[in-house]
């Protein structure tokens, strides 16, 4: 029995690749365009992303969080292990609607940790498992194909499902961080263009939705091929 995942004239596989490519490129282009647009709109009082994020953290009782710089474009992140919020240079030092929105989104993650937000704790807990399974799933999968052992193929797919789970758990965590950012800005920085802040955060959220959808489609494809080839 031969398990020909994605080989030959597998139109469903080609369609999957096309859809995931469009989703990925489309959302990346959208967030870049939205970010670029609102990067040109100054924040009130010339406040930088780092300054507003620090104020938000203090307001939300997360004063112990450190704020630093990280290289790259839109590489902003919060690390709960080190309790450090890292902002890309543009969002750290620039004073624009976009930089403030992104910085406050990351501050929202820090607030989640400070308040024991359950989905955030779940995501943090499964990170080590996901890191391992993401490294192993394709190895097991392709070895299973090479030696024609369905058990290894199925184990590889099971490992891949952990990444799908991670993507799904990530969605409420990201949405909640944006919700916290929008709420803070609306109440404490009302002179900021709220429409712009929401547009930037919505564009960013779409990248996570696209990633989750792509992973789900890939998992469904793999499961479908296993069932189909098992019947042959």
């Amino acid at each position: 029995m031969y398990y020909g995942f994605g080989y030959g004239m597998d139109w469903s596989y080609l369609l999957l690749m096309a859809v995931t490519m469009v989703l990925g490129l489309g959302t990346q282009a959208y967030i870049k365009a939205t970010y670029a647009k609102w990067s040109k709109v100054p924040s009130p009082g010339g406040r930088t992303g780092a300054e507003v994020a620090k104020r938000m953290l203090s307001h939300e009782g997360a004063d112990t969080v450190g704020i630093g710089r990280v290289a790259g474009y839109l590489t902003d992140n919060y690390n709960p292990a080190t309790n450090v919020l890292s902002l890309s240079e543009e969002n750290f030092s620039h004073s624009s609607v976009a930089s403030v929105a992104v910085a406050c989104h990351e501050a929202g993650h820090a607030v989640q940790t400070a308040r024991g937000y359950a989905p955030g704790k779940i995501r943090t807990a499964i990170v080590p498992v996901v890191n391992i399974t993401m490294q192993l799933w394709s190895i097991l999968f392709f070895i299973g194909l090479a030696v024609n052992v369905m058990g290894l193929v199925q184990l590889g797919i099971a490992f891949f499902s952990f990444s799908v789970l991670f993507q799904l758990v990530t969605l409420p965590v990201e949405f909640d961080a944006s919700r916290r950012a929008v709420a803070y800005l609306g109440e404490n920085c009302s002179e900021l263009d709220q429409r712009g802040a929401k547009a930037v955060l919505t564009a960013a959220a779409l990248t996570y939705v696209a990633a989750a959808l792509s992973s789900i489609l890939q998992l469904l494809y793999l499961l479908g091929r296993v069932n189909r080839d098992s019947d042959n």
Side-chain angles (χ1 to χ4, degrees):
M1 190 180 298
Y2 175 68
Y3 308 110
F5 292 84
Y7 297 97
M9 298 300 291
D10 186 343
W11 295 108
S12 60
Y13 179 78
L14 296 177
L15 178 61
L16 171 64
M17 292 297 98
V19 170
T20 55
M21 182 178 296
V22 169
L23 283 173
L25 294 177
T27 53
Q28 286 299 317
Y30 182 62
I31 188 173
K32 286 181 179 179
T34 305
Y35 182 85
K37 174 183 177 180
W38 292 102
S39 289
K40 299 174 183 177
V41 181
S43 61
R47 300 190 190 106
T48 66
E51 289 172 342
V52 180
K54 185 175 182 180
R55 292 187 181 192
M56 178 177 170
L57 292 170
S58 178
H59 181 271
E60 300 294 336
D63 308 74
T64 61
V65 177
I67 301 179
R69 291 179 171 87
V70 63
Y73 175 75
L74 290 180
T75 49
D76 313 84
N77 66 88
Y78 168 70
N79 188 339
T82 59
N83 200 31
V84 172
L85 191 163
S86 299
L87 298 175
S88 57
E89 182 59 41
E90 188 166 1
N91 292 327
F92 185 95
S93 58
H94 287 201
S95 54
S96 70
V97 171
S99 61
V100 167
V102 173
C104 286
H105 170 86
E106 297 304 332
H109 285 307
V111 175
Q112 289 173 340
T113 298
R115 298 188 177 179
Y117 179 63
K121 293 170 70 174
I122 293 172
R123 183 174 74 166
T124 299
I126 65 176
V127 165
V129 176
V130 173
N131 287 340
I132 294 173
T133 55
M134 278 301 293
Q135 293 177 16
L136 293 178
W137 88 265
S138 58
I139 296 174
L140 294 171
F141 180 80
F142 286 109
I143 289 177
L145 290 181
V147 300
N148 208 23
V149 175
M150 181 57 114
L152 287 178
V153 172
Q154 292 174 327
L155 183 58
I157 295 174
F159 277 17
F160 177 73
S161 67
F162 279 99
S163 68
V164 178
L165 174 63
F166 181 78
Q167 297 280 4
L168 292 176
V169 172
T170 292
L171 291 179
V173 176
E174 296 298 332
F175 292 157
D176 180 76
S178 290
R179 179 191 63 78
R180 294 174 190 269
V182 169
Y184 172 78
L185 292 173
E187 294 174 6
N188 301 279
C189 197
S190 57
E191 66 274 23
L192 183 82
D193 192 316
Q194 302 297 314
R195 181 171 60 93
K198 291 178 181 178
V200 171
L201 295 178
T202 298
L206 287 177
T207 63
Y208 293 100
V209 173
L213 182 56
S214 295
S215 294
I216 291 171
L217 289 175
Q218 185 173 354
L219 178 60
L220 291 175
Y221 168 79
L222 294 174
L223 291 173
R225 284 307 303 260
V226 164
N227 292 333
R228 190 165 66 195
D229 289 347
S230 295
D231 294 335
N232 293 335

